[in-house]
Amino acid sequence: MQGISSHGTVISRQPAATPGVFTPIGELGDITMPGLSRNEFETTSHNQDIDSYVLGVLRREAVVFPVFFNKNDGTQNAETGLQKAIIDNSVDGYMIEQPDGQVWIFSGGVQAMTQAAPVDGVQTANVTIRPTGAFILNGVVVGGL
């Protein structure tokens, strides 16, 4: 098998106020995808001669990415974009589409958005999206009791 280039991965946002409309977030840099993990709990008892464990609930890490920030970009600004989402503390829909066809769809909030203005370089903002609740991975619903 050959590796697949991740160039062309798109993150789109669906504001809670506009259900059904996902708009790609402009000017994305390198994306850290929402890793999956489970906490471990040791269940070894005194009458066992080897350790044993159970795994806890499925957890997702935050989605983290930089954008080449431009306040005139409606997907980033304080009127309609990511800045508005963090100001309003809104839980919106997000979709990540990867070149190999993998698709994540989830609800989440903008947990952090930190801008940088270097002396010699472009304006950027680092964005952190915290997923919450059930999500869809490649058409499979995960979670949601």
Side-chain angles (χ1 to χ4, degrees), residues 82-138:
L82 294 168
Q83 284 182 324
K84 179 169 179 53
I86 194 168
I87 291 166
D88 292 350
N89 195 22
S90 63
V91 175
D92 300 315
Y94 290 89
M95 179 169 54
I96 304 174
E97 299 171 283
Q98 295 178 266
D100 64 354
Q102 177 155 276
V103 177
W104 295 73
I105 300 173
F106 59 93
S107 295
V110 179
Q111 181 179 3
M113 186 171 183
T114 307
Q115 289 182 259
V119 170
D120 188 16
V122 298
Q123 290 187 134
T124 61
N126 287 318
V127 179
T128 303
I129 308 293
R130 165 51 65 199
T132 185
F135 68 103
I136 300 170
L137 179 58
N138 300 325

Side-chain angles (χ1 to χ4, degrees), residues 10-103:
V10 176
I11 300 177
S12 300
R13 177 174 162 254
Q14 175 188 341
T18 58
V21 179
F22 279 96
T23 302
I25 297 170
E27 302 298 324
L28 295 176
D30 293 340
I31 301 164
T32 300
M33 297 294 289
L36 300 174
S37 66
R38 293 180 183 270
N39 291 337
E40 66 178 37
F41 301 96
E42 185 176 3
T43 58
T44 309
S45 62
H46 286 274
N47 62 346
Q48 290 178 304
D49 63 357
I50 191 146
D51 57 347
S52 63
Y53 293 86
V54 296
L55 298 177
V57 299
L58 183 62
R59 299 182 182 281
R60 285 158 295 175
E61 296 171 3
V63 179
V64 181
F65 56 91
V67 293
F68 298 109
F69 185 76
N70 182 339
K71 77 170 188 71
N72 296 316
D73 184 324
T75 66
Q76 300 177 11
N77 66 25
E79 291 81 32
T80 57
L82 294 168
Q83 284 182 324
K84 179 169 179 53
I86 194 168
I87 291 166
D88 292 350
N89 195 22
S90 63
V91 175
D92 300 315
Y94 290 89
M95 179 169 54
I96 304 174
E97 299 171 283
Q98 295 178 266
D100 64 354
Q102 177 155 276
V103 177

